Amino acid sequence: MQVKPPVITVDGPSGTGKGTLCSQVSRWLQWNLLDSGALYRILALLAQRENIDVSNAVEVAGLARTELDVQFIAVAGEPSIKVTLDGADIDAQIRKEDCGNAASQLGGYVEVREAILGWQRSFQRPPGLVADGRDMGTVVFPAAELKIFLTASPEERAKRRYKQLNVKGIDVSFQNLLTEMAERDNRDKQRNISPLRPAEDAIVIDTSASGIENVFAQVSALIKQRFELPV
Ligand code: DC
């Protein structure tokens, strides 16, 4: 039997530092990275480009194909990764709040989640995968070797997201962001299919009061232990 490459899953709501942590861990281990939220965001963008209403789950699901060339590229000196689609840099477009809200809506459709499942699993390639999302540990990679679930207070998460968007030159109001994030979290947690929740065997880390260096230190210690890496 072929042994599958190992997987580390990092789930949690936005603004908990998942993206930065996953990018640091994948660089450190030299493993592949999957930002699953970006796939939902890309579907929202493609639907917009092709004039498909995001509530048309069947048509949007038809846009999810493994042959879409999505790359997660680490940029030297930057904490986050850049996403390209068929070689074009679409990162700024998919990070906009309208894309995030449409992605959250798409996440509630069973047709879309099913269509995206094989696409997400296709990122499990040697030497290993770091998977960032909402249901990586519960649904997409239930046999993952290490599962992390990050949490943080809503205010702290909105502050981080605000800073992140500002750095990317995306202008938003803090109050709107806080309200929209709360709505999105509720939708992600309440949906019937693959709701946002920690897997039973996930290690939950509250990042409200910790800097990313601290979170990385905790997680890298867990990884060394789990994968028996030299210290
Ligand atoms: O992580 P993010 O903010 O880029 O994700 C955008 C939306 O995509 C999120 O609000 C819900 C949806 N999503 C999901 O349903 N399941 C995932 N594994 C990742 C994202």
Side-chain angles (χ1 to χ4, degrees):
M1 203 178 68
Q2 212 186 350
V3 180
K4 286 193 171 170
V7 180
I8 298 170
T9 58
V10 182
D11 289 302
S14 58
T16 48
K18 280 180 306 156
T20 311
L21 176 68
C22 287
S23 127
Q24 287 189 348
V25 170
S26 73
R27 263 182 241 216
W28 171 54
L29 294 174
Q30 296 281 298
W31 283 13
N32 300 296
L33 177 70
L34 164 64
D35 172 357
S36 61
L39 302 190
Y40 286 87
R41 287 170 182 266
I42 285 171
L43 284 190
L45 179 73
L46 291 176
Q48 200 181 50
R49 282 186 188 166
E50 299 192 16
N51 272 327
I52 298 172
D53 195 298
V54 282
S55 61
N56 189 338
V58 174
E59 275 204 41
V60 178
L63 298 170
R65 294 185 307 272
T66 44
E67 67 268 25
L68 286 172
D69 176 22
V70 174
Q71 308 268 347
F72 300 108
I73 298 172
V75 186
E78 279 186 29
S80 55
I81 42 109
K82 194 175 78 174
V83 182
T84 65
L85 173 64
D86 295 331
D89 181 356
I90 47 143
D91 200 73
Q93 287 175 65
I94 64 164
R95 297 300 165 201
K96 288 188 183 151
E97 287 307 285
D98 61 339
C99 236
N101 288 328
S104 168
Q105 189 180 335
L106 291 179
Y109 300 140
V110 63
E111 296 86 348
V112 173
R113 298 206 82 87
E114 278 174 2
I116 230 170
L117 197 58
W119 191 14
Q120 294 176 107
R121 289 184 176 150
S122 72
F123 286 84
Q124 187 178 3
R125 294 187 287 254
L129 176 70
V130 181
D132 164 343
R134 305 288 192 288
D135 61 343
M136 299 294 101
T138 49
V139 176
V140 184
F141 301 108
E145 280 75 3
L146 180 65
K147 299 179 185 178
I148 307 287
F149 191 91
L150 300 185
T151 62
S153 70
E155 291 72 22
E156 186 55 37
R157 295 196 288 112
K159 259 195 242 165
R160 290 177 188 167
R161 190 96 185 105
Y162 183 74
K163 248 169 102 180
Q164 221 175 34
L165 291 172
N166 260 321
V167 167
K168 293 198 176 201
I170 302 169
D171 195 23
V172 283
S173 116
F174 179 76
Q175 207 46 49
N176 284 353
L177 196 61
L178 191 61
T179 315
E180 282 185 5
M181 269 180 74
E183 281 170 12
R184 176 136 45 108
D185 286 352
N186 266 337
R187 201 160 46 217
D188 293 348
K189 283 185 199 155
Q190 309 294 332
R191 66 179 176 226
N192 294 326
I193 173 163
S194 310
L196 168 65
R197 63 171 176 81
E200 272 174 22
D201 49 350
I203 297 163
V204 180
I205 302 176
D206 186 338
T207 72
S208 306
S210 323
I212 187 66
E213 303 77 21
N214 202 325
V215 179
F216 179 76
Q218 278 185 63
V219 171
S220 55
L222 289 168
I223 293 172
K224 283 178 189 164
Q225 205 178 41
R226 179 67 190 83
F227 296 95
E228 294 175 6
L229 301 180
V231 181

